[in-house]
Amino acid sequence: MTTLEPPYDLLIIGGGINGVGIARDAAGRGLNVLLVEQNDLASGTSSKSTKLIHGGLRYLEQYEFRLVRKALKERELLLGLAPHIIWPMKFILPHAPHLRPKWMIRIGLFFYDHLTRRKKLGKSRAVKLGGDSPLKADFSDAFSYYDCWVDDARLVVLNARDAQDLGATIRPRTIFQSARQQDGLWRARLKDRQTDSLMDVSAKAIVNAAGPWVSDVICDRLALPAHNRLRLVKGSHIILPRLFPGDDAYILQIADGRIIFAIPYEKDFTLVGTTDEAFDGDPGDVQISDAEIDYLCQQINLYFTPTLGHPLSKDDVVSHYAGVRPLYDDATAEASAVTRDYVLALREDGGAPLLSIFGGKITTFRLLAEQAMEKLAPYFPDMAEPWTDSAPLPGGALPDQDRTAFIAAQQDRYPWLDPDLCARYAGLYGTRMDQMFKDFPGRSLKDEGVEDLATEGYLIGPGLYDYEVDFLVRHEWAQTAEDILWRRTKLGLRWSEEDVTRLEKWLKEKQSRTGQHYASLDNRITF
């Protein structure tokens, strides 16, 4: 048994977007933070989103004006703080005469444009669809507006990276088993999943950001009564071959009142989703159903011409994923209408505080974290003031916040790199791209760059060299092929089973040869 002293200020349970956002905010205010995640960072709901930073146009129909307003404000702010992984995207909303009338859509878009100040994104407008439209001829009128795309899993990792750089301890693959109150502190028992070793830690406060498991933490691991109810809603997505050219995305009205998105994805694909279904089961075992796949294909078939030469079916699906959204139960009957706003539930029960996070959406994670710290402020009177609204995420301090210009500049800086590979690096790592090259052992610098790593580095599989894997393991907590191919990058979409096997073998041999291990609790993996 290992006992870790002295007491932490915060023990945060959950390595999703809310947990790492709170860890970053708290560490930047001077608190001593420990975050534990039972799996990999962003392995749950936070990597299973529609990958949008948006206000939520459809929430206006549910009169969620307060939520939409704060989400739109955060959209503008986050676009400036992480322009390498967040960028503007135009959406086309085709008018279906048998559904919402034009006047209703115009009013909704007017509010969307004016609920908060907008500097970086264009206004909505009515558009005519011409012969070059990928939509069927039935759809001649449409509206356009702007929101933002985000690499959701990387948003989580970068918050964790910054939190650790600010002094927090980040421990993926560490299970929170239990905790009890003693002498004004929480005494918690943790388990390292890789070594099966147990650890005892103490903390002045616990933040329960366990997402779909938030109620389990309260009832089962803390043995406390649940004062708030959680509503689990499954959202599923499919990935198809590219259905239409260009960079515009589409938001489609569905006869059942829902909407689905069709979004350009990873250059060669189209992301389609999401569904909304009540979920009752283990969030760790969630899977898309055949019925959901059929539903999403059917809706795309209603709107788009069959560019693949036939109506879409499950045989055309390249990949898919499903996640469980841990929504605050507001007693709404329909799963698709449950509020996406969040509730911060603080309880003392006569001792150390417990703050549990119910609900939320990826767009508002930074504001949620800031408000969580406001809730905890009375217990930490010496902590610093709010700061995250003006601090770029790691790699995000791009000149003039211009992602396109930065990519072009990096292609000039590294002319020996394949342009597509260079663009991928710049988009994933931003200004940390240079660090990836400089950290690689045995490479020398020249002309403000490095030797030709694209030829000197070992190509493990399509688009993936050993120096990138080394960087992800050393600096981003990646340990498995799944971590690397699906969360740190999206290369898995283009990889065969043989490629994956080769990467797994490479990782195993590297670990065996160099003795990969945890370098103390901060989980910095060293070779």
Side-chain angles (χ1 to χ4, degrees), residues 6-27:
Y8 289 92
D9 292 318
L10 291 187
L11 168 59
I12 301 174
I13 305 164
I17 188 59
N18 290 333
V20 296
I22 294 170
R24 176 181 183 243
D25 191 309

Side-chain angles (χ1 to χ4, degrees), residues 439-512:
D439 280 355
F440 193 57
R443 305 301 176 186
S444 60
L445 304 177
K446 72 172 185 180
D447 300 330
E448 297 183 323
V450 294
E451 298 290 345
D452 189 348
L453 295 182
T455 57
E456 291 188 13
Y458 172 65
L459 182 65
I460 301 174
L464 184 67
Y465 288 88
D466 55 350
Y467 56 83
E468 184 177 10
V469 176
D470 183 78
F471 180 78
L472 295 175
V473 171
R474 288 177 179 274
H475 298 289
E476 296 195 356
W477 299 275
Q479 294 189 33
T480 70
E482 181 181 339
D483 298 347
I484 292 164
L485 297 177
W486 293 103
R487 285 183 286 276
R488 305 309 186 275
T489 74
K490 300 297 185 292
L491 291 172
L493 285 168
R494 297 177 175 86
W495 276 44
S496 67
E497 291 184 10
E498 292 78 10
D499 295 326
V500 176
T501 300
R502 188 163 58 253
L503 174 58
E504 291 173 340
K505 181 179 179 181
W506 188 92
L507 288 168
K508 185 176 181 179
E509 290 178 349
K510 183 84 170 180
Q511 292 163 11
S512 174

Side-chain angles (χ1 to χ4, degrees), residues 34-154:
L34 167 63
L35 180 144
V36 296
E37 160 58 43
Q38 62 183 345
N39 298 306
D40 182 31
L41 298 173
S43 57
T45 305
S46 294
S47 61
K48 307 298 193 301
S49 76
T50 313
K51 311 189 189 308
L52 299 178
I53 297 293
H54 66 140
L57 182 60
R58 70 186 180 97
Y59 304 148
L60 292 174
E61 280 191 322
Q62 299 155 14
Y63 306 107
E64 294 261 24
F65 295 102
R66 176 177 169 274
L67 171 61
V68 174
R69 185 178 185 277
K70 68 183 179 183
L72 288 172
K73 185 177 180 180
E74 287 297 297
R75 180 192 68 177
E76 189 88 1
L77 190 152
L78 292 174
L79 179 57
L81 300 182
H84 53 321
I85 61 166
I86 301 173
W87 60 88
M89 179 171 281
K90 184 168 77 171
F91 287 80
I92 304 297
L93 196 169
H95 177 238
H98 61 291
L99 298 177
R100 297 168 181 84
K102 288 182 179 179
W103 63 265
M104 182 182 293
I105 297 174
R106 286 194 184 100
I107 290 175
L109 289 172
F110 176 84
F111 279 112
Y112 209 64
D113 283 341
H114 293 91
L115 277 174
T116 188
R117 293 182 63 185
R118 170 185 42 79
K119 295 180 179 179
K120 299 177 177 134
L121 299 176
K123 287 182 60 176
S124 64
R125 64 186 184 92
V127 296
K128 283 287 185 181
L129 300 175
D132 58 347
S133 171
L135 299 170
K136 291 182 176 179
D138 299 344
F139 302 100
S140 57
D141 296 320
F143 299 86
S144 68
Y145 71 95
Y146 287 86
D147 267 322
C148 292
W149 166 265
V150 64
D151 188 325
D152 51 4
R154 292 211 57 75

Side-chain angles (χ1 to χ4, degrees), residues 134-202:
L135 299 170
K136 291 182 176 179
D138 299 344
F139 302 100
S140 57
D141 296 320
F143 299 86
S144 68
Y145 71 95
Y146 287 86
D147 267 322
C148 292
W149 166 265
V150 64
D151 188 325
D152 51 4
R154 292 211 57 75
L155 185 65
V156 173
V157 170
L158 294 183
N159 272 272
R161 178 70 265 163
D162 209 23
Q164 182 160 293
D165 289 344
L166 292 165
T169 299
I170 307 296
R171 278 202 68 108
R173 295 177 170 88
T174 301
I175 299 172
F176 171 80
Q177 289 194 323
S178 63
R180 58 187 174 84
Q181 296 198 32
Q182 180 182 339
D183 300 328
L185 296 173
W186 286 104
R187 308 287 184 177
R189 173 68 56 85
L190 310 177
K191 181 179 181 179
D192 186 312
R193 288 185 58 190
Q194 293 186 311
T195 64
D196 284 334
S197 59
L198 298 178
M199 296 164 285
D200 286 339
V201 300
S202 57

Side-chain angles (χ1 to χ4, degrees), residues 227-244:
H227 294 166
N228 300 88
R229 295 189 302 172
L230 194 65
R231 182 86 168 266
L232 299 183
V233 175
K234 180 173 70 165
S236 297
H237 295 76
I238 59 175
I239 299 172
L240 299 163
R242 190 66 182 262
L243 299 180
F244 46 82

Side-chain angles (χ1 to χ4, degrees), residues 295-346:
Y295 172 83
L296 293 173
C297 287
Q298 288 166 6
Q299 304 312 318
I300 293 295
N301 287 332
L302 288 176
Y303 276 89
F304 288 91
T305 56
T307 54
L308 300 183
H310 56 268
L312 295 172
S313 71
K314 63 182 180 182
D315 294 335
D316 298 304
V317 175
V318 175
S319 186
H320 53 72
Y321 59 86
V324 177
R325 305 185 190 98
L327 306 180
Y328 178 73
D329 191 351
D330 60 359
T332 302
E334 292 295 326
S336 61
V338 179
T339 182
R340 266 52 176 180
D341 212 343
Y342 51 82
V343 171
L344 307 179
L346 181 66

